[in-house]
Amino acid sequence: MRIIGALWLRNVKLFVRNRVQMILILIMPFFYLYLLSTIFQSTHVSNSVNYVLAGIVIIVVFQTSLNIATSTIEDIVSGYMKEVLVSPVKRIQIALGQILSSTTIATLQGILILAVGYLIGMKYSSAATPLAVIGFMIFVGLVFSAFGLFIATSVRNSQTFQIVSVAITTPITFLCGVYVPLSLLPDGLQFIALLNPMTYAAAFFRALSLEKMSLPADELIAEQLAFKINHFVITPQISILLVLSFGLLFLLLSTIAFSKVDFSRMNRSKGNKDIFQQ
């Protein structure tokens, strides 16, 4: 636990010390809020500002969680990861330290945005809702931190990693209903969106944040908090089970991949290129 705690504290300190990043975290979501709230007014969504804000919060948690992939690559290239590995530390402890620190940072960012959102009108009628919201942010952070770690340890080239990262995260980000209502997408993209785990994470988080978990299925579908596939309705309760399944799968895959990857084959070459020795 001491090793996990040390890795967790190091990464959290790096985040807290980056003041510029923290300021941008607070500014950018509200730029998107202003931009997107007008788009969602054209849908059957009540209180589009809070609806959009909830989506932005969970997408920030998702994107920050995936930053574990970038930070892990940087640690490997800089030699920091190799220094840790020469110590008598189990790799699973390193993986857990990376995942927990990424989850903590992602949750802190989500809480910061929610705190500002509270000042502009995002209120809760139940005292239990904020705790449930934070709990789900932690859950999403764990799920996608594991996914990000799997990406970092699976890609065989640091330059290729940048391409793969964008190729994976861009469709997940834009096909989950946060930036563009799914009802406005073509049928083909709507089908792809239903294969996207972030679609269900965003829908559940919105239903939870807006305290609409108990709405009838027809109203949930109208507000894109539930999804109908033929005669089957994916309710928010089913959505969280789908995200949980995705998370357990990649938690297993990421720890296996991290345990087996050969960090010694990665060198930093002269100049700006970082390559794996084949």
Side-chain angles (χ1 to χ4, degrees), residues 69-79 151-166 261-263 265-278:
T70 303
S71 63
T72 300
I73 290 290
E74 290 174 352
D75 286 343
I76 295 170
V77 172
S78 67
I151 296 174
T153 53
S154 299
V155 177
R156 292 294 181 182
N157 184 291
S158 61
Q159 291 179 325
T160 304
F161 164 76
Q162 299 296 334
I163 300 172
V164 171
S165 180
V166 172
V261 67
D262 186 3
F263 294 111
R265 297 180 63 193
M266 186 174 187
N267 287 336
R268 180 168 54 185
S269 62
K270 295 180 181 179
N272 295 324
K273 292 184 178 180
D274 302 310
I275 61 172
F276 279 94
Q277 289 182 335
Q278 301 298 328

Side-chain angles (χ1 to χ4, degrees), residues 32-33 35-45 48 51-53 55-56 59 63 170-187 189-194 196 198-199 202-203 206 222-225 227:
Y32 285 112
L33 176 64
L35 181 66
L36 298 174
S37 58
T38 56
I39 298 175
F40 280 85
Q41 285 176 357
S42 62
T43 64
H44 296 85
V45 172
S48 61
Y51 185 90
V52 172
L53 182 59
I56 290 174
I59 206 69
Q63 290 173 337
T170 300
I172 290 177
T173 300
F174 287 96
L175 294 178
C176 68
V178 169
Y179 294 130
V180 180
L182 297 184
S183 59
L184 300 182
L185 296 175
D187 291 341
L189 291 181
Q190 286 188 33
F191 174 77
I192 295 174
L194 293 176
N196 181 1
M198 264 308 296
T199 299
R206 278 171 163 161
E223 296 200 21
Q224 300 180 49
L225 303 176
F227 309 96

Side-chain angles (χ1 to χ4, degrees), residues 25 37 44 85 143 164 212 240 263:
I25 287 168
S37 58
H44 296 85
L85 289 171
V143 167
V164 171
K212 295 185 176 183
I240 194 172
F263 294 111

